[in-house]
Amino acid sequence: MSYTGQCNCGAVNAKIEGEPVAVRQCWCRQCQKAAAGSATTNAMFPTEAITFHGALGSWSYEAASGNTLTQSFCANCGTPVMGQSSARPQFRTLRVGFLDQAQGLKPQVIIWTDDAPEWAVIDPELPTFARQPPPPPSQG
Ligand SMILES: [Zn+2]
Ligand SMILES: [Zn+2]
């Protein structure tokens, strides 16, 4: 399987080879701002599987874990594109909204539910983590 992604204005696009290693929904406060009030839904792919074209803007901050998180977005239209952690340079977490093929990329885990507003709809079928979950399995 391969995936493609594009921002709202078309200035940034991407091609991704293979399947995500994890799909997660995140309710942390930074994600609520990136997603305009809701959670972000993120598909984590190996870094080398992704090819980008176009100008990304980025913003970095130190997370509660002490790791540096970098959020990237289209420099022109602001569409959220991905996040990455200094602790896991081998992965990029692409925003599912950026991808052209959202079908099949259902979240498997919901994280940072401690920060979710009381009106958040959280799938009772899915495992949840109140805060940061353990890292995903290593892919060698
Ligand atoms: Zn754009
Ligand atoms: Zn988050």
Side-chain angles (χ1 to χ4, degrees):
M1 181 73 187
S2 66
Y3 294 87
T4 53
Q6 182 164 275
C7 67
N8 272 329
C9 78
V12 173
N13 59 71
K15 185 164 170 51
I16 307 99
E17 294 295 340
E19 292 297 325
V21 297
V23 182
R24 293 173 177 169
Q25 196 167 64
C26 181
W27 280 99
C28 81
R29 289 293 297 144
Q30 289 81 15
C31 282
Q32 288 179 47
K33 290 178 193 293
S38 196
T40 59
T41 304
N42 303 292
M44 183 179 285
F45 288 93
T47 302
E48 72 265 13
I50 309 165
T51 309
F52 279 108
H53 294 101
L56 290 172
S58 69
W59 169 68
S60 296
Y61 66 100
E62 188 176 318
S65 59
N67 300 324
T68 299
L69 297 188
T70 301
Q71 313 285 8
S72 301
F73 44 87
C74 171
N76 186 52
C77 73
T79 297
V81 172
M82 69 175 165
Q84 65 191 88
S85 169
S86 58
R88 288 178 290 284
Q90 71 273 33
F91 294 116
R92 298 286 185 267
T93 54
L94 293 185
R95 310 303 181 202
V96 167
F98 171 74
L99 299 175
D100 296 322
Q101 302 85 8
Q103 282 76 11
L105 294 175
K106 184 182 189 297
Q108 302 147 340
V109 174
I110 303 174
I111 68 174
W112 284 98
T113 54
D114 265 5
D115 282 355
E118 80 284 357
W119 46 260
V121 177
I122 293 174
D123 188 339
E125 304 284 304
L126 293 179
T128 60
F129 290 87
R131 296 171 69 82
Q132 187 65 27
S138 159
Q139 295 273 302

